[in-house]
Amino acid sequence: MAPVAKPLTIVVDFSSPNVAKPMHVGHIRSTVIGDALARILRFRGHTVITDNHLGDWGTQFGMILWGWKHCRDDAAFAADPTAELGRLYRLVRKVADAKPEELAADPEAAALAAKYPGAGREVLAETAKLHEGDPENRALWEQFMPVCRAEIDRLYARLHVSFDHWLGESFFQPLLAPTVDDLVGRGIAKESRGAIGVFLGGEDAPPLLIRKADGAFLYATTDLATIRWRLEHWRPDRILYVVDHRQSGHFEQVFATARLSGLPGIEGVELVHVGFGTVLGEDGRPFKTRAGDTVGLEALLDEGVERAAKVVAEAGRGEMDEATRRQVAETVGIGAIKYADLSQNRTTDYVFSFDKMLQLTGNTAAYMQYAVARVEGICAKGSVDRSALRTARPVLLAAPQERALALGLVRFAEVLEDVEGDNRPNLLTAWLYDLAGRYSTFYDALPVLKAEGDTCASRLALCDLTGRVLRQGLDLLGIGTVERM
RNA sequence: GCCCCCGUAGCUCAGUGGAUAGAGCGACGGUUUCCUAAACCGUAGGUCGCAGGUUCGAUCCCUGCCGGGGGUACCA
């Protein structure tokens, strides 16, 4: 496939979880969509730089620091540091928010809230101290970070997602004050009610705040500093932000401010908020379990693999050894979860269904993986020399099923172009499903190995090509394939 | 109040300025002496929220309305 005529340098900013908060199903969208877009853009010939803009410097650390100082459990931290930090985060968030209905449901949080009525303010103060370089908070932060990283690294490894860079919020911390000073100095930002903001829509419209009254910096400050840094160091033509669509207003303001500030190199850069819909629960509200906690990402992956393992066992592939079965279950289980998200239109919210996400029949990754395995089966059974199939020779398209398959195959490049145009991986999943369907129809209707001479060779070539295209397409979605399943 | 998104089959969702609007699940009925039935073939089921407008043609574009969701100065 020919690469794009004019390769661009494209930064893809995705996943970006807040560390120290447990990762849940809501985090999967940015991670999976961003990874797929990065793979597709790279495959098309662009220079892609992926960056995980980790939320490692925000208010959640204020909560954990406060919790550490007021209600930590040393034994629990020693046994499972991740779990203890997660517990502190969830507990202190309730204490700091002090919402009556939440406190009513959690006696421990209620007791702490009663004991420390100023907790909300103190949490912010802890965050501010961290930002100001307080040695104690800084030391604790350095102690917490490896714990947090180990947790998310494990998930990325299972998802086969990797990044070129991990420039989190903390990395940009030294650039925040200069960014604010610069904007103020050039009259773009100004003081208002003790805070500093950029008034894009006049005095009446809410400004983009870049410094709080207490001196702490905000999300917007980091984003502006990050744009400046990326322009300087990477000179990109395009930056994609794969972030929940609820932040569209924020990005509008940030992008407008970046352009207003006339950063070197900003003119030619496309800044794109690749927004995606929220994952909802059965009740149509942002996803929560009945207990009030979201489903953990790791538990979801485990369940997906377990269900795949069950299907593998039932399929009765007697000749498959145990290690292979596990490998197949992992590839199919994880693939199902990724595909469930990727096949959704990125922009719309969707109702999360455990069963739907883990489904292995119908329009799922397993359907394509199965088609690939069937191709492999034919080639193995016929001891086919696949490279010999690829030398130029006419492919005969006598039967309608052969023609339909061939017509599907030739659209690959066009589909990838469309994906880039709209940053929508679901266009690729839809085409792959259609293609695999054409192959299934072909497979059922026409013999391959038992066909005569030229017809056999021609059909083998179709099988080989379809298998390779499906495998490539799935790979561009970050989904693996197996020889047998 | 203002801004943004959504409303398509029983459910969950695709899709398009042009032909009989699609899939999965669910329902019903078929297919395995034949290369993997995680598959294939078929049936039933939709006035594409409502009303106007633009157009030769609208489910798609525009306006209004109804319904749902989100955002809206010191969270990220």
Side-chain angles (χ1 to χ4, degrees), chain A residues 202-223:
Chain A
E203 294 296 323
D204 298 331
L208 179 69
L209 289 191
I210 56 176
R211 202 178 78 180
K212 299 200 273 188
D214 67 5
F217 301 108
L218 294 109
Y219 187 34
T221 327
T222 313
D223 276 349

Side-chain angles (χ1 to χ4, degrees), chain A residues 213-232:
Chain A
D214 67 5
F217 301 108
L218 294 109
Y219 187 34
T221 327
T222 313
D223 276 349
L224 288 167
T226 303
I227 291 176
R228 177 192 293 258
W229 192 93
R230 286 174 176 164
L231 291 179
E232 187 184 335

Side-chain angles (χ1 to χ4, degrees), chain A residues 176-188:
Chain A
L176 301 185
T179 297
V180 172
D181 290 346
D182 179 64
L183 289 171
V184 171
R186 295 203 277 139
I188 292 167

Side-chain angles (χ1 to χ4, degrees), chain A residues 115-196:
Chain A
K115 189 173 172 190
Y116 303 104
R121 272 200 324 279
E122 290 167 23
V123 162
L124 294 179
E126 294 292 355
T127 310
K129 276 170 70 182
L130 174 66
H131 290 180
E132 286 156 14
D134 174 76
E136 184 191 10
N137 281 6
R138 177 77 198 190
L140 285 170
W141 181 83
E142 281 172 7
Q143 184 184 349
F144 297 153
M145 274 307 290
V147 174
C148 300
R149 267 299 296 270
E151 166 81 0
I152 58 178
D153 280 348
R154 210 174 54 242
L155 284 166
Y156 287 135
R158 273 190 98 178
L159 290 170
H160 293 98
V161 171
S162 60
F163 300 88
D164 299 319
H165 300 278
W166 292 73
L167 303 180
E169 292 174 339
S170 62
F171 175 83
F172 296 98
Q173 193 268 339
L175 305 176
L176 301 185
T179 297
V180 172
D181 290 346
D182 179 64
L183 289 171
V184 171
R186 295 203 277 139
I188 292 167
K190 64 178 185 182
E191 188 274 337
S192 169
R193 301 184 209 168
I196 293 176

Side-chain angles (χ1 to χ4, degrees), chain A residues 327-401:
Chain A
Q327 170 62 37
V328 169
E330 182 79 14
T331 303
V332 172
I334 302 286
I337 292 166
K338 287 185 158 193
Y339 187 89
D341 212 318
L342 290 167
S343 58
Q344 210 79 211
N345 182 320
R346 159 173 77 68
T347 62
T348 52
D349 297 346
Y350 71 89
V351 175
F352 175 85
S353 156
F354 212 77
D355 288 333
K356 190 184 173 189
M357 195 158 235
L358 302 184
Q359 191 187 313
L360 297 172
T361 58
N363 186 359
T364 66
Y367 186 82
M368 270 68 80
Q369 290 167 327
Y370 186 66
V372 169
R374 281 173 145 186
V375 170
E376 294 302 324
I378 285 178
C379 291
K381 191 151 210 160
S383 301
V384 176
D385 175 0
R386 301 182 67 168
S387 57
L389 296 170
R390 296 169 202 170
T391 52
R393 88 169 70 181
V395 173
L396 311 171
L397 301 176
Q401 293 89 343

Side-chain angles (χ1 to χ4, degrees), chain A residues 68 73-88 90 144 147-148 150-151 154 298:
Chain A
W68 182 263
D73 179 339
D74 284 316
F77 185 77
D80 186 346
T82 304
E84 173 61 5
L85 291 185
R87 183 189 73 87
L88 287 177
R90 284 190 295 266
F144 297 153
V147 174
C148 300
E151 166 81 0
R154 210 174 54 242
E298 188 131 52

